[in-house]
Amino acid sequence: MQRTAPDPRPEPEPDPPVGLPVLPDLVAHLSAAADRTEADPPGGAAPLRAAACGYWARRGLPTAPDRVLAAPGGPALLLALYAAADGAVVLPRPCAEWYAPPARLLGRPVHLAPAPAESGGVPDPFALLETVRRARMHGDSPRVLVLSVADDPTGTCPAPEQLHEVCEAAAEEGLWIISDETRRDLLHDPHDTVLLSPAEMLPGAVVVLTDLRATLVPASWPAALARFPDTDRGTVLRAAALDALGAVGAPLPGPVGCAVTHALGEPDALRARTATVARVYGVLAAALHHLVTAAGAVCRPPHSGSHLYADLEPLRRPLAARGIVESRALERELTPWRARGGHRFGDAPGALRVRLGAEALLGDDRDLRQRTLDAPDPLELAHVTEALTALSRALTGLTSAPDG
């Protein structure tokens, strides 16, 4: 078990990505609502929640509007869920970097359970049980497990049997399961990857969380959804989460709410864009995986989203010879490729792990990014091959024996 504590020395954030070009259809709907002055009510307006029901029904999760909450982004919604659950939080290690900060803000203890070798996104079930047991021995009361069926930072998807074991273990311990399904639509090969929601396995114990900025709307439009179980317990949790959203004053901006409502209908252009993004991310992530493993790193093959998680522990000796003995230094060396050290995802700072992402290969401006999305084979584009070649040279320089 590992319990986290606030870091008294916040690190400077890497430059944010440029973002993908915004679809004209979404721009038109936002512009049409630009003169709307009122915000949506906390939890989302009725039309948006009804559209969210259609979104989930198309994914095999029938939902009623009174089971839905909307908020300006995943972190805000996670904050409300943690407040409503009122207890310690268990996270897989590694996990998305936005999972832990809302718990710390509320003063909730955070306990990390290691993910198995096969896949990130979920803890090993035996490690989960041991983590919960030890947390209780230390006086904490775990109430929530956050997991991801399409993981950031590892880009992997847990196998259904692996996911089922974890969910059963969490349910036996009385934990709410928050299933982050933000990247479920970004499978690189939907025919080769089986993705199930924990809400299909344990309908009464799972809250589904989706930050729409990964697929449906631009990264600058804060919008996220939560789907609650159709049970008395789910009703109580939703009411408490809605109270938390109201208390912090976290509604969706009115124009954004209108545009998000349209996006949740998934018009043809938006579906085509999502499929294109998933395909391009798959090609670029596979190229990154080949590159880092050829350099001697250990890395799970990515199957979803834009990220992968490279473990350079096998290369510790040559890295140490260059003064690189922890993930912060590794992040600094690989900053041009928007690397983020494993310490940001709950890993020990001394571990030589780093997240790399396909966004670094798309191009530095929107025109290049659009060209990358339009290309039949992104690996034939000059700016992509140049970025991959530069990263390969950087890794070779870092991991080869120093002269002399």
Side-chain angles (χ1 to χ4, degrees):
M1 179 188 74
Q2 180 178 338
R3 180 168 169 175
T4 65
D7 187 346
R9 295 175 299 171
E11 296 177 84
E13 289 294 311
D15 291 338
V18 175
L20 296 172
V22 183
L23 289 172
D25 183 41
L26 293 182
V27 173
H29 276 81
L30 184 67
S31 298
D35 61 350
R36 179 180 170 183
T37 57
E38 70 274 16
D40 279 5
L48 186 150
R49 289 185 286 111
C53 294
Y55 168 88
W56 271 311
R58 291 188 292 274
R59 288 154 179 82
L61 295 174
T63 307
D66 64 355
R67 302 287 107 187
V68 177
L69 287 181
L77 200 42
L78 200 55
L79 178 76
L81 289 169
Y82 289 163
D86 192 23
V89 175
V90 181
L91 304 176
R93 188 183 72 229
C95 67
E97 59 187 313
W98 55 278
Y99 290 175
R104 295 195 189 107
L105 187 64
L106 292 167
R108 303 287 194 266
V110 175
H111 298 274
L112 302 173
E118 295 81 7
S119 171
V122 299
D124 176 90
F126 296 105
L128 170 63
L129 293 174
E130 180 65 11
T131 298
V132 171
R133 184 184 73 83
R134 288 182 177 272
R136 288 172 178 159
M137 285 177 57
H138 286 83
D140 291 336
S141 299
R143 305 285 189 195
V144 174
L145 167 66
V146 183
L147 53 78
S148 177
V149 297
D151 184 43
D152 170 32
T154 66
T156 59
C157 302
E161 57 273 16
Q162 178 187 358
L163 186 63
H164 189 267
E165 290 179 1
V166 172
C167 290
E168 288 285 352
E172 288 175 6
E173 296 299 327
L175 303 181
W176 274 111
I177 299 168
I178 299 177
S179 176
D180 176 16
E181 303 185 7
T182 294
R183 289 169 174 78
R184 65 169 296 159
D185 295 332
L186 293 177
L187 297 181
H188 301 162
D189 185 352
H191 303 292
D192 186 51
T193 304
V194 178
L195 188 150
L196 293 177
S197 170
E200 299 176 68
M201 301 176 178
L202 296 173
V206 177
V207 177
V208 177
L209 175 65
T210 301
D211 194 320
L212 300 175
R213 291 175 290 185
T215 51
L216 283 189
V217 300
S220 58
W221 297 10
L225 302 172
R227 175 192 182 272
F228 292 80
D230 189 10
T231 63
D232 291 344
R233 187 169 174 240
T235 298
V236 171
L237 186 70
R238 182 187 182 276
L242 180 57
D243 286 346
L245 287 174
V248 298
L252 284 174
V256 171
C258 291
V260 169
T261 300
H262 170 73
L264 285 168
E266 297 181 284
D268 290 343
L270 190 51
R271 289 181 183 231
R273 158 61 76 83
T274 301
T276 296
V277 170
R279 176 186 65 83
V280 170
Y281 280 167
V283 171
L284 298 180
L288 283 173
H289 181 262
H290 175 75
L291 190 153
V292 298
T293 54
V298 175
C299 185
R300 299 178 181 96
H303 295 285
S304 175
S306 58
H307 298 134
L308 51 81
Y309 198 62
D311 185 350
L312 277 70
E313 284 294 328
L315 301 165
R316 177 171 286 277
R317 179 171 294 182
L319 288 170
R322 298 179 183 278
I324 302 169
V325 295
E326 40 84 39
S327 62
R328 289 180 176 86
L330 195 57
E331 178 183 283
R332 287 194 295 270
E333 293 290 342
L334 299 176
T335 293
W337 297 275
R338 298 196 178 93
R340 297 181 78 82
H343 58 284
R344 297 181 182 270
F345 309 106
D347 258 330
L352 291 171
R353 300 187 185 107
V354 65
R355 189 192 75 178
L356 297 170
E359 297 97 334
L361 307 177
L362 293 175
D364 293 331
D365 59 57
R366 287 177 175 80
D367 289 341
L368 278 180
R369 289 176 170 237
Q370 189 62 57
R371 285 180 54 201
T372 308
L373 293 178
D374 293 339
D377 183 0
L379 298 181
E380 294 183 350
L381 296 175
H383 69 277
V384 174
T385 58
E386 289 170 4
L388 285 170
T389 299
L391 177 57
S392 178
R393 288 173 178 165
L395 289 172
T396 299
L398 292 175
T399 58
S400 60
D403 294 338

